[in-house]
Amino acid sequence: MIALPDIHGLCPPRFASVKDAFAANFTEAPEGLNEQAARFSVCVEGEVVVDLWAGWADAAKTVPYGETTLTPVFSTGKVVMMLLIASCVERGLLDYERPVAGYWPAFGQAGKAAITVGQMMSHQAGLPGFSESVDPSIWFDRTAALARLCEQAPMWEPGTASGYHPITIGLLAGELFRIVDGRSMGTALREDFPGLDLWIGLPEAEHGRVAQMRKPTAAPDLGVIDAVKRAAFLDSGSAPGGRGSAEWRTMELPSANLHGTAKDLARIMGVVVDGTLEGRTVLSPDVRAGMLRERIHGRDRVLPFEIRWAAGLMRNEGLNIFGPNPDAAGHCGWGGSCAFADPEAGLSMAYVMTRQSPHLIGDPRAGRLIGAVYGGM
């Protein structure tokens, strides 16, 4: 049995089973999946009620994982990207039902003129990756990468199916935001949500707080591989490469390289619960409804699941990974992290860890914690 590290943080008696589940993830996880470090946070109606962390920030076990440690959360950061787009809808800068090309004419090339903002955010645009081989360093050249995507024809008829855009959606949504707002998403996150330890583009001065990740021991199961899945995940140019970790952390790629804490991911997801953050209205009921409504349902062309996509979030109905309520919605990240909100229960939660697993969505370690929370409600 693996030795249990010291567990720190907040957990009232009402949620004692959550702390037990958190400990079990270290001592009872299958061999090879025990965390080097993890953190789990829960908000009820915007108030942090559980915030637990334990482990080591480095593989050598010389640096304790602490309250201010930052963790890369990969695609879980899409929840923040989704909220920033929704904030543009709230301010009248965007409309989910209008074509992207109405704001960004270059996007409308090669058969993409009718793709709406809502369709793009729900992975229906047919641009899950580059359809022709590219050098992975292109991701660090935003202008060149966007030009390639604008010139590229969709890999399937837009609007007929979803196909998860693991990284390209960050370039596309980030550029759309920049066009209508005038700022980058990283700048807007810092200015519009001050006090949250969440970063799209991490300044070098903060790099010393980042926990070391341990990659999965096995590759995820994508099902039958075709050209769409290959472009999304398996081509040599499907993800940024050719540069060091410092440049990866510093670049702004809101779909994939957010660094942050579980506590503040749970807090910002509270906006999905009731539209507010610390008493400030961020989204109106109508915008939240437009953000959360189902935009497509079916077998995803990239992820081997039937998914009900909202405008940037996975709806829980059918997946059953975000608790018992079908209208909960959230996102998972490479290796097991997740963040979601359940408006019916008034809950928002986030789980981050440094030991990654092969699970594409619904990591059982997060599932154990989520189940314990609902058991304590």
Side-chain angles (χ1 to χ4, degrees):
M1 180 174 288
I2 304 296
L4 178 65
D6 293 336
I7 297 176
H8 306 274
L10 168 70
C11 189
R14 171 188 178 188
F15 292 109
S17 61
V18 177
K19 189 171 184 178
D20 292 341
F22 190 74
N25 277 344
F26 285 89
T27 60
E28 299 176 18
E31 184 178 0
L33 291 183
N34 301 85
E35 286 93 343
Q36 190 78 8
R39 188 171 184 178
F40 181 61
S41 304
V42 182
C43 294
V44 177
E45 305 295 348
E47 179 185 356
V48 179
V49 297
V50 174
D51 185 25
L52 297 170
W53 66 89
W56 299 93
D58 63 332
K61 298 186 178 182
T62 61
V63 180
Y65 188 100
E67 189 171 8
T68 61
T69 300
L70 298 174
T71 307
V73 299
F74 303 99
S75 287
T76 295
K78 288 182 173 72
V79 300
V80 177
M81 179 185 74
M82 171 274 307
L83 284 169
L84 288 169
I85 290 293
S87 76
C88 289
V89 177
E90 179 68 31
R91 290 176 285 150
L93 301 177
L94 288 175
D95 185 326
Y96 286 125
E97 314 313 322
R98 284 192 59 193
V100 174
Y103 308 100
W104 179 12
F107 178 83
Q109 300 176 67
K112 302 191 298 297
I115 296 171
T116 67
V117 174
Q119 286 174 327
M120 186 182 80
M121 293 304 297
S122 54
H123 303 276
Q124 300 182 62
L127 301 171
F130 295 106
S131 56
E132 296 182 5
S133 181
V134 298
D135 188 289
S137 64
I138 193 174
W139 295 96
F140 296 92
D141 185 341
R142 181 179 61 85
T143 300
L146 286 168
R148 290 288 293 263
L149 290 172
C150 285
E151 294 165 0
Q152 183 172 307
M155 298 186 74
W156 64 87
E157 184 181 348
T160 61
S162 70
Y164 180 52
H165 294 38
I167 298 185
T168 54
I169 188 63
L171 281 174
L172 298 171
E175 183 64 10
L176 181 60
F177 184 93
R178 188 189 305 268
I179 288 168
V180 301
D181 179 273
R183 300 171 293 172
S184 71
M185 280 191 166
T187 298
L189 177 59
R190 294 191 299 273
E191 293 179 350
D192 296 351
F193 296 91
L196 294 183
D197 206 358
L198 301 172
W199 303 82
I200 299 171
L202 186 68
E204 288 191 24
E206 306 292 341
H207 289 194
R209 295 199 287 136
V210 178
Q212 182 178 353
M213 303 299 288
R214 298 179 67 192
K215 293 182 179 180
T217 56
D221 181 7
L222 290 168
V224 177
I225 302 301
D226 60 13
V228 172
K229 293 182 182 183
R230 194 172 297 113
F233 278 121
L234 301 176
D235 281 346
S236 61
S238 62
R243 308 286 176 92
S245 60
E247 191 160 356
W248 158 255
R249 291 170 182 166
T250 305
M251 73 183 294
E252 291 195 20
L253 190 55
S255 55
N257 77 335
L258 184 136
H259 293 68
T261 67
K263 177 182 176 181
D264 287 338
L265 280 168
R267 289 173 65 201
I268 201 169
M269 283 302 282
V271 174
V272 180
V273 173
D274 64 4
T276 69
L277 179 64
E278 296 184 335
R280 173 174 67 97
T281 298
V282 178
L283 299 178
S284 63
D286 285 348
V287 171
R288 279 197 306 124
M291 174 185 69
L292 287 172
R293 76 168 178 84
E294 180 182 306
R295 293 185 175 269
I296 194 163
H297 167 221
R299 187 76 173 181
D300 193 82
R301 294 288 303 268
V302 173
L303 298 176
F305 308 102
E306 285 203 6
I307 301 177
R308 298 175 185 270
W309 285 104
L313 296 178
M314 298 176 182
R315 290 178 53 81
N316 194 41
E317 184 179 358
L319 292 176
N320 303 317
I321 58 175
F322 301 131
N325 293 332
D327 287 336
H331 215 288
C332 301
W334 180 45
S337 63
C338 71
F340 77 97
D342 180 348
E344 180 179 338
L347 289 170
S348 57
M349 307 184 207
Y351 170 72
V352 305
M353 75 299 127
T354 61
R355 186 65 177 93
Q356 296 180 293
S357 81
H359 296 278
L360 289 166
I361 64 173
D363 188 292
R365 296 168 297 177
R368 187 197 300 245
L369 294 164
I370 293 166
V373 171
Y374 281 96
M377 292 298 290

